């Protein structure tokens, strides 16, 4: 039978996203974070606006900053650092307001006039304070004998990821990323690990299905443990974020019952991405059992998938576990090719970070629905003494449950691959 045996050589895809956001807390008159010094015009992943006013001398000065990584971002609340720009008196006695756009999530830090209290809030783009998983507002206050002591206490608590305060702030930020960031590596957008797990459960861009195989001519000896190896490259942008990504996939299928076309699939998708120049890495492990219901027509596939993502520059680490059931139906004899109709339902949730003291789990729990269609056309051209195929596919994904920046998105893909042989 013929199938995609090594895999896609090239895939070009397009994504169209439908964005919906829900806010954790409703306030009567929300005030959007101020655009201090026009910091929103900056293009890097981390943007900061700082304003210092002092009623004692009618002082009012603003500044904006940007950087590519999360490193030392809290220093913009350090009064000794602020003093290098606005002077000691203004930094230690004036009112300070700082807005942090942390790769799409927003936090506000402030000292009131003549006060040593530092207040930090994680908010929506419209100024609504987010809630923690337990319903507590994402607002944190720190107080010391003076502003420098207050900041030092805050900085030490944040640096120690095992403290409840640090974990609460990180948890609030991770929930903000999923809801409002167009480029969070973990969840909430089509380039995230969450979307990759869903896509792996129903990937219509390749022909790895047991029911898509053609009969083998009588007397032809062929291997029965097929491999699928492929890679894609994508580039694009989401808001101010430029994204380049390489997806690789290694999959092996096994016939586990003699005389039965059911296939056990061991799947290992890998990903490397650069988001505004910052490196991110993710890996998945998927195990599925595809069971033909009607030979060469219809199959179902229960699957479990686990994925992890890490980026030191972006301050991102996370894990997701997903279970899914996929249905595929093949319509043969459409011209020289065939249609493949796919439907998937899955459930996924983020996990605590194992092996570390930090728990930055955003506590996302989502049902996923994915439906699509593909047309596979054998080509007359041969590569490396093998036949080739072209496949055009479309899929629509929708999420239910926890609030995400993109609750749905469309995908259109054109892929090319080599065809191999496999026995029945």
């Amino acid at each position: 039978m013929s199938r995609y045996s090594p895999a896609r050589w090239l895939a070009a895809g397009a994504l169209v996203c439908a964005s919906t956001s829900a806010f954790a807390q409703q306030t009567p008159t929300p005030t959007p974070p101020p655009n201090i010094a026009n910091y929103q015009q900056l293009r890097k992943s981390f943007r900061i606006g700082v304003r210092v006013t002092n009623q004692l001398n009618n002082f009012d000065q603003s500044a904006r900053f940007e950087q590519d990584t999360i490193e030392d971002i809290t220093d913009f609340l350090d009064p000794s650092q602020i003093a290098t720009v606005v002077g000691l008196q203004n930094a230690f006695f004036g009112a300070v307001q700082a807005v942090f756009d942390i790769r799409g999530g927003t936090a506000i830090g402030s000292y009131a006039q003549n006060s040593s209290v530092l207040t930090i809030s994680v908010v929506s783009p419209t100024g609504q304070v987010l809630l923690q998983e337990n319903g507590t507002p994402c607002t944190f206050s720190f107080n010391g004998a003076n502003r420098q002591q207050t900041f030092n206490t805050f900085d030490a608590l944040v640096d120690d990821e095992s403290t409840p305060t640090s974990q609460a702030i990180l948890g609030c930020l991770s929930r903000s990323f999923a809801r409002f960031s167009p480029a969070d590596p973990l969840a909430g957008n089509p380039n995230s690990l969450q979307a990759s797990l869903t896509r792996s459960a129903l990937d219509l861009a390749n022909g790895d299905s047991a029911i898509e195989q053609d009969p083998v001519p009588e007397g032809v000896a062929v291997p029965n443990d097929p491999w699928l190896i492929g890679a894609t490259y994508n580039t694009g942008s989401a808001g101010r974020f430029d994204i380049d990504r390489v997806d690789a996939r290694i999959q092996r299928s096994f016939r586990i019952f003699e005389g039965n076309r059911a296939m056990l699939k061991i799947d290992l998708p890998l990903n490397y991405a650069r988001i505004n120049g910052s490196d991110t890495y993710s890996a998945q492990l998927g195990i599925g059992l595809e069971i033909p219901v009607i030979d060469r027509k219809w199959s179902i596939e229960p699957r479990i998938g686990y994925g992890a993502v890490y980026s030191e520059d972006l301050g991102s680490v996370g894990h997701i576990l997903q279970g899914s059931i996929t249905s595929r139906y093949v319509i043969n004899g459409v011209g020289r090719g065939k249609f493949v109709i796919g439907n998937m339902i899955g459930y996924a949730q983020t996990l605590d970070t194992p092996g570390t003291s930090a728990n930055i789990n955003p506590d996302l729990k989502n049902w996923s629905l994915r439906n699509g269609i593909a047309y596979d056309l054998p080509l007359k051209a041969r590569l490396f003494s093998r036949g080739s195929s072209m496949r055009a596919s479309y899929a629509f994904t929708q999420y239910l449950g926890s609030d995400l920046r993109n609750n749905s998105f469309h995908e259109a893909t054109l892929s090319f691959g080599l065809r191999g042989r496999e026995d029945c």
Side-chain angles (χ1 to χ4, degrees), residues 83-151:
T84 62
V85 179
V86 301
L88 287 174
Q89 182 184 28
N90 298 317
F92 281 85
F93 298 101
V96 178
Q97 185 175 36
V99 182
F100 296 80
D101 182 331
I102 307 173
R103 58 179 176 84
T106 305
I108 297 176
S110 63
Y111 299 91
Q113 177 82 31
N114 297 322
S115 173
S116 62
V117 176
L118 170 62
T119 302
I120 306 289
S121 296
V122 180
V123 301
S124 74
T126 57
Q128 295 164 307
V129 178
L130 302 186
L131 298 182
Q132 301 179 48
E133 178 66 15
N134 60 9
T136 304
C138 290
T139 296
F140 309 88
S141 295
F142 307 87
N143 193 12
N146 54 57
R147 288 187 180 180
Q148 191 63 59
Q149 188 181 98
T150 296
F151 173 78

Coordinates of all heavy atoms in Angstrom, one line a residue, residues 83-151:
A83 N 16.7 57.0 40.7 CA 17.3 58.3 41.1 C 18.4 58.7 40.1 O 18.7 59.9 40.0 CB 17.9 58.1 42.5
T84 N 19.0 57.8 39.4 CA 20.1 58.2 38.4 C 19.5 59.0 37.3 O 20.2 59.7 36.6 CB 20.7 56.9 37.8 OG1 19.7 56.1 37.2 CG2 21.4 56.1 38.9
V85 N 18.2 58.9 37.1 CA 17.5 59.7 36.0 C 16.8 60.9 36.6 O 16.9 62.0 35.9 CB 16.5 58.8 35.3 CG1 15.8 59.5 34.2 CG2 17.2 57.6 34.7
V86 N 16.2 60.8 37.7 CA 15.3 61.9 38.2 C 15.8 62.6 39.5 O 15.2 63.5 40.0 CB 13.9 61.4 38.4 CG1 13.3 60.9 37.2 CG2 13.8 60.4 39.6
G87 N 16.9 62.1 40.1 CA 17.5 62.6 41.3 C 16.9 62.0 42.6 O 15.8 61.4 42.5
L88 N 17.7 62.0 43.7 CA 17.3 61.3 44.9 C 16.0 61.8 45.5 O 15.2 61.0 45.8 CB 18.5 61.5 45.9 CG 19.8 60.8 45.7 CD1 20.8 61.2 46.7 CD2 19.5 59.3 45.8
Q89 N 15.8 63.1 45.6 CA 14.6 63.6 46.2 C 13.3 63.1 45.5 O 12.4 62.7 46.1 CB 14.6 65.1 46.3 CG 13.4 65.7 47.0 CD 13.3 67.2 47.0 OE1 13.9 67.9 46.1 NE2 12.7 67.8 48.0
N90 N 13.4 63.2 44.2 CA 12.2 62.8 43.4 C 12.0 61.3 43.4 O 10.8 60.9 43.5 CB 12.3 63.3 41.9 CG 12.4 64.8 41.8 OD1 11.7 65.5 42.5 ND2 13.3 65.3 41.0
A91 N 13.0 60.5 43.4 CA 12.9 59.1 43.4 C 12.4 58.6 44.7 O 11.7 57.6 44.8 CB 14.3 58.4 43.1
F92 N 12.8 59.2 45.9 CA 12.5 58.7 47.2 C 11.2 59.3 47.8 O 10.7 58.8 48.8 CB 13.7 58.8 48.1 CG 14.7 57.7 47.9 CD1 15.7 57.9 46.9 CD2 14.7 56.5 48.6 CE1 16.6 56.9 46.7 CE2 15.6 55.5 48.4 CZ 16.6 55.7 47.4
F93 N 10.8 60.5 47.3 CA 9.6 61.1 47.9 C 8.5 61.4 46.9 O 7.4 61.6 47.3 CB 10.1 62.5 48.6 CG 11.1 62.2 49.6 CD1 12.4 62.5 49.4 CD2 10.7 61.8 50.9 CE1 13.3 62.3 50.4 CE2 11.6 61.6 51.9 CZ 12.9 61.8 51.7
G94 N 8.8 61.5 45.6 CA 7.8 61.7 44.6 C 6.9 60.5 44.3 O 7.2 59.4 44.8
A95 N 5.8 60.7 43.6 CA 5.0 59.5 43.2 C 5.6 58.9 42.0 O 6.0 59.5 41.0 CB 3.6 60.0 42.9
V96 N 5.7 57.5 42.0 CA 6.3 56.8 40.9 C 5.2 55.8 40.4 O 4.6 55.1 41.1 CB 7.5 56.0 41.4 CG1 8.1 55.1 40.2 CG2 8.6 56.9 42.0
Q97 N 5.1 55.8 39.1 CA 4.2 54.9 38.4 C 4.9 54.2 37.2 O 5.5 54.9 36.4 CB 2.9 55.6 37.9 CG 1.9 54.6 37.3 CD 0.6 55.2 36.9 OE1 0.6 56.3 36.5 NE2 -0.5 54.5 37.1
A98 N 4.9 52.9 37.2 CA 5.6 52.2 36.2 C 4.7 51.2 35.5 O 3.9 50.5 36.3 CB 6.9 51.4 36.7
V99 N 4.7 51.1 34.2 CA 3.8 50.1 33.5 C 4.8 49.2 32.8 O 5.7 49.6 32.0 CB 2.9 50.8 32.5 CG1 2.0 49.8 31.8 CG2 2.0 51.8 33.2
F100 N 4.6 47.9 32.9 CA 5.4 46.8 32.3 C 4.6 46.0 31.3 O 3.6 45.4 31.7 CB 5.9 45.9 33.4 CG 6.9 46.5 34.4 CD1 6.4 47.2 35.4 CD2 8.2 46.4 34.2 CE1 7.2 47.8 36.4 CE2 9.1 47.0 35.2 CZ 8.6 47.7 36.2
D101 N 4.9 46.1 30.1 CA 4.4 45.2 29.1 C 5.3 44.0 29.0 O 6.4 44.1 28.3 CB 4.2 45.9 27.7 CG 3.6 45.0 26.7 OD1 3.7 43.8 26.7 OD2 2.9 45.5 25.8
I102 N 5.0 42.9 29.6 CA 5.9 41.8 29.7 C 5.5 40.7 28.6 O 4.6 39.9 28.9 CB 5.9 41.1 31.1 CG1 6.2 42.2 32.1 CG2 6.9 40.0 31.2 CD1 6.0 41.8 33.6
R103 N 6.0 40.9 27.4 CA 5.7 40.1 26.2 C 4.2 39.8 26.1 O 3.7 38.8 25.8 CB 6.5 38.8 26.2 CG 6.3 37.9 27.4 CD 7.2 36.6 27.1 NE 7.2 35.7 28.2 CZ 6.3 34.7 28.4 NH1 5.3 34.6 27.6 NH2 6.4 33.9 29.5
G104 N 3.4 40.9 26.3 CA 2.0 40.8 26.1 C 1.1 40.9 27.4 O -0.1 41.2 27.3
G105 N 1.7 40.5 28.5 CA 1.1 40.6 29.8 C 1.4 42.0 30.4 O 2.4 42.6 30.1
T106 N 0.5 42.5 31.2 CA 0.7 43.9 31.7 C 0.7 43.9 33.3 O -0.2 43.3 33.9 CB -0.5 44.8 31.2 OG1 -0.5 44.8 29.8 CG2 -0.2 46.3 31.7
A107 N 1.7 44.6 33.8 CA 1.8 44.8 35.3 C 2.0 46.2 35.5 O 2.7 46.9 34.8 CB 2.9 43.9 35.9
I108 N 1.5 46.7 36.7 CA 1.6 48.1 37.1 C 2.3 48.1 38.5 O 1.8 47.4 39.4 CB 0.3 48.8 37.1 CG1 -0.3 48.9 35.7 CG2 0.4 50.3 37.7 CD1 -1.7 49.5 35.7
G109 N 3.3 48.9 38.6 CA 4.0 49.1 39.9 C 4.0 50.6 40.3 O 4.1 51.5 39.4
S110 N 3.8 50.9 41.6 CA 3.7 52.3 42.0 C 4.1 52.5 43.4 O 3.9 51.6 44.3 CB 2.3 52.8 41.7 OG 1.3 52.1 42.6
Y111 N 4.6 53.7 43.7 CA 4.8 54.3 45.0 C 4.0 55.6 45.0 O 4.1 56.4 44.1 CB 6.3 54.7 45.3 CG 7.3 53.5 45.2 CD1 7.9 53.2 44.0 CD2 7.6 52.8 46.4 CE1 8.9 52.3 44.0 CE2 8.6 51.8 46.3 CZ 9.2 51.5 45.1 OH 10.2 50.6 45.1
A112 N 3.2 55.8 46.1 CA 2.4 57.0 46.2 C 3.4 58.1 46.7 O 4.5 57.8 47.3 CB 1.3 56.8 47.2
Q113 N 3.0 59.4 46.6 CA 3.8 60.5 47.1 C 4.1 60.3 48.6 O 3.2 60.0 49.4 CB 3.0 61.8 46.9 CG 3.7 63.0 47.4 CD 4.7 63.6 46.5 OE1 4.6 63.5 45.3 NE2 5.7 64.2 47.0
N114 N 5.4 60.4 48.9 CA 5.9 60.4 50.3 C 5.6 59.0 51.0 O 5.5 58.9 52.2 CB 5.3 61.5 51.2 CG 5.7 62.9 50.7 OD1 6.8 63.1 50.3 ND2 4.8 63.8 50.7
S115 N 5.4 58.0 50.2 CA 5.0 56.6 50.8 C 6.1 55.6 50.4 O 6.7 55.7 49.3 CB 3.7 56.2 50.2 OG 3.5 54.8 50.6
S116 N 6.4 54.7 51.3 CA 7.4 53.7 51.0 C 6.7 52.4 50.6 O 7.4 51.4 50.3 CB 8.2 53.4 52.3 OG 7.4 52.9 53.4
V117 N 5.4 52.4 50.4 CA 4.7 51.2 50.0 C 4.7 51.0 48.5 O 4.4 51.9 47.8 CB 3.2 51.3 50.5 CG1 2.4 50.0 50.0 CG2 3.1 51.4 52.0
L118 N 5.2 49.8 48.1 CA 5.2 49.4 46.7 C 4.1 48.5 46.4 O 3.9 47.5 47.1 CB 6.5 48.7 46.4 CG 6.6 48.1 45.0 CD1 6.5 49.1 43.9 CD2 7.9 47.3 44.8
T119 N 3.2 48.9 45.4 CA 2.1 48.1 45.0 C 2.3 47.6 43.6 O 2.6 48.3 42.7 CB 0.8 48.9 45.1 OG1 0.6 49.4 46.4 CG2 -0.4 48.1 44.7
I120 N 2.1 46.3 43.4 CA 2.2 45.6 42.1 C 0.8 45.0 41.8 O 0.3 44.3 42.6 CB 3.3 44.5 42.1 CG1 4.6 45.1 42.6 CG2 3.4 43.9 40.7 CD1 5.3 46.0 41.7
S121 N 0.3 45.2 40.6 CA -0.9 44.6 40.1 C -0.7 44.1 38.7 O -0.1 44.7 37.9 CB -2.1 45.6 40.1 OG -2.4 46.1 41.4
V122 N -1.3 42.9 38.4 CA -1.3 42.3 37.1 C -2.7 42.6 36.5 O -3.7 42.2 37.2 CB -1.0 40.8 37.1 CG1 -1.0 40.2 35.7 CG2 0.4 40.6 37.8
V123 N -2.8 43.2 35.4 CA -4.0 43.7 34.9 C -4.2 43.3 33.4 O -3.3 42.9 32.7 CB -4.1 45.3 35.0 CG1 -3.9 45.7 36.4 CG2 -3.1 45.9 34.1
S124 N -5.5 43.5 33.0 CA -5.8 43.3 31.6 C -5.4 44.5 30.8 O -5.1 45.6 31.4 CB -7.3 43.0 31.4 OG -8.0 44.2 31.6
P125 N -5.4 44.5 29.4 CA -5.1 45.7 28.7 C -6.1 46.8 28.9 O -5.8 48.0 28.6 CB -5.2 45.2 27.2 CG -4.9 43.7 27.3 CD -5.6 43.3 28.6
T126 N -7.2 46.6 29.5 CA -8.2 47.6 29.8 C -8.1 48.0 31.3 O -8.9 48.8 31.7 CB -9.6 47.2 29.4 OG1 -9.9 46.0 30.1 CG2 -9.8 47.0 27.9
G127 N -7.2 47.5 32.0 CA -6.9 47.9 33.4 C -7.7 47.1 34.5 O -7.6 47.5 35.6
Q128 N -8.4 46.1 34.1 CA -9.0 45.2 35.1 C -8.0 44.3 35.8 O -7.3 43.6 35.1 CB -10.1 44.4 34.4 CG -11.3 45.3 33.9 CD -12.1 44.6 32.9 OE1 -11.6 44.0 31.9 NE2 -13.4 44.6 33.1
V129 N -8.1 44.3 37.1 CA -7.2 43.5 37.9 C -7.5 42.0 37.7 O -8.7 41.6 37.9 CB -7.2 43.8 39.4 CG1 -6.3 42.9 40.2 CG2 -6.7 45.3 39.5
L130 N -6.6 41.1 37.4 CA -6.9 39.7 37.2 C -7.0 39.0 38.6 O -6.6 39.6 39.6 CB -5.7 39.1 36.4 CG -5.5 39.6 35.0 CD1 -4.4 38.7 34.3 CD2 -6.7 39.6 34.2
L131 N -7.6 37.9 38.6 CA -7.7 37.1 39.8 C -6.8 35.9 39.7 O -6.6 35.3 38.7 CB -9.2 36.6 39.9 CG -10.2 37.7 40.1 CD1 -11.6 37.0 40.3 CD2 -9.9 38.6 41.2
Q132 N -6.3 35.5 40.9 CA -5.6 34.2 41.0 C -6.6 33.1 41.0 O -7.8 33.3 41.0 CB -4.9 34.2 42.4 CG -3.8 35.3 42.5 CD -3.1 35.3 43.9 OE1 -2.7 34.2 44.3 NE2 -3.1 36.4 44.5
E133 N -6.1 31.8 40.9 CA -6.9 30.7 40.8 C -7.9 30.6 42.0 O -9.0 30.1 41.9 CB -6.1 29.4 40.8 CG -6.8 28.1 40.7 CD -7.6 27.9 39.4 OE1 -7.4 28.7 38.5 OE2 -8.5 27.1 39.4
N134 N -7.4 31.0 43.2 CA -8.3 31.0 44.4 C -9.2 32.2 44.5 O -9.9 32.3 45.5 CB -7.4 30.9 45.7 CG -6.5 32.1 45.8 OD1 -6.6 33.1 45.1 ND2 -5.6 32.0 46.8
G135 N -9.3 33.1 43.5 CA -10.2 34.2 43.5 C -9.6 35.5 44.1 O -10.2 36.5 44.1
T136 N -8.4 35.4 44.6 CA -7.7 36.6 45.2 C -7.2 37.5 44.1 O -6.6 37.0 43.1 CB -6.6 36.2 46.1 OG1 -7.0 35.3 47.1 CG2 -5.9 37.4 46.8
P137 N -7.4 38.8 44.2 CA -6.9 39.7 43.2 C -5.4 39.7 43.0 O -4.7 39.5 44.0 CB -7.4 41.1 43.6 CG -8.6 40.8 44.5 CD -8.3 39.5 45.2
C138 N -5.0 39.8 41.8 CA -3.5 39.8 41.5 C -2.9 41.2 41.9 O -2.3 41.9 41.0 CB -3.3 39.5 40.1 SG -3.6 37.8 39.6
T139 N -3.0 41.6 43.1 CA -2.4 42.8 43.6 C -1.6 42.5 44.9 O -2.1 41.8 45.8 CB -3.5 43.8 44.0 OG1 -4.3 44.2 42.8 CG2 -2.9 45.1 44.6
F140 N -0.4 43.0 44.9 CA 0.6 42.7 46.0 C 1.2 44.0 46.5 O 1.6 44.8 45.7 CB 1.6 41.7 45.4 CG 1.1 40.5 44.7 CD1 0.8 40.6 43.3 CD2 0.8 39.4 45.4 CE1 0.3 39.5 42.6 CE2 0.3 38.3 44.7 CZ 0.0 38.4 43.3
S141 N 1.3 44.1 47.8 CA 1.9 45.3 48.5 C 3.1 44.9 49.3 O 3.1 43.8 50.0 CB 0.8 46.0 49.3 OG -0.2 46.5 48.5
F142 N 4.1 45.8 49.3 CA 5.3 45.6 50.1 C 5.6 46.9 50.8 O 5.5 47.9 50.2 CB 6.5 45.2 49.1 CG 6.1 44.0 48.2 CD1 5.5 44.2 47.0 CD2 6.4 42.7 48.6 CE1 5.2 43.1 46.2 CE2 6.1 41.6 47.8 CZ 5.5 41.9 46.6
N143 N 6.1 46.7 52.0 CA 6.4 47.9 52.8 C 7.6 47.8 53.7 O 7.8 46.7 54.3 CB 5.2 48.3 53.7 CG 5.2 49.7 54.3 OD1 6.1 50.5 53.9 ND2 4.4 49.9 55.3
G144 N 8.4 48.8 53.7 CA 9.7 48.8 54.5 C 9.9 50.1 55.2 O 9.0 51.0 55.1
A145 N 11.0 50.3 55.9 CA 11.3 51.5 56.5 C 11.4 52.7 55.6 O 11.1 53.8 55.9 CB 12.5 51.4 57.4
N146 N 11.9 52.4 54.3 CA 12.0 53.4 53.3 C 11.9 52.6 51.9 O 11.7 51.4 51.9 CB 13.3 54.2 53.4 CG 14.5 53.2 53.4 OD1 14.7 52.4 52.5 ND2 15.3 53.3 54.4
R147 N 11.8 53.4 50.9 CA 11.6 52.8 49.5 C 12.7 51.8 49.2 O 12.4 50.7 48.6 CB 11.5 53.8 48.5 CG 10.1 54.6 48.6 CD 10.0 55.5 47.4 NE 8.7 56.3 47.5 CZ 8.2 57.2 46.7 NH1 9.0 57.4 45.6 NH2 7.1 57.7 46.9
Q148 N 13.9 52.1 49.5 CA 15.0 51.2 49.1 C 14.8 49.8 49.9 O 15.0 48.8 49.3 CB 16.3 51.8 49.5 CG 17.5 51.0 48.9 CD 17.5 51.0 47.3 OE1 17.5 52.0 46.7 NE2 17.4 49.8 46.7
Q149 N 14.5 49.9 51.1 CA 14.3 48.7 51.9 C 13.1 47.9 51.4 O 13.1 46.7 51.3 CB 14.1 49.0 53.4 CG 14.1 47.7 54.3 CD 13.9 48.1 55.7 OE1 12.7 48.0 56.2 NE2 15.0 48.4 56.4
T150 N 12.0 48.6 51.0 CA 10.9 48.0 50.4 C 11.2 47.3 49.1 O 10.8 46.1 48.9 CB 9.8 49.0 50.1 OG1 9.3 49.6 51.3 CG2 8.6 48.4 49.4
F151 N 11.9 47.9 48.3 CA 12.3 47.3 47.0 C 13.2 46.1 47.2 O 13.0 45.1 46.6 CB 13.0 48.3 46.1 CG 13.6 47.6 44.8 CD1 12.7 47.3 43.8 CD2 14.9 47.3 44.8 CE1 13.2 46.7 42.6 CE2 15.4 46.6 43.6 CZ 14.5 46.3 42.6

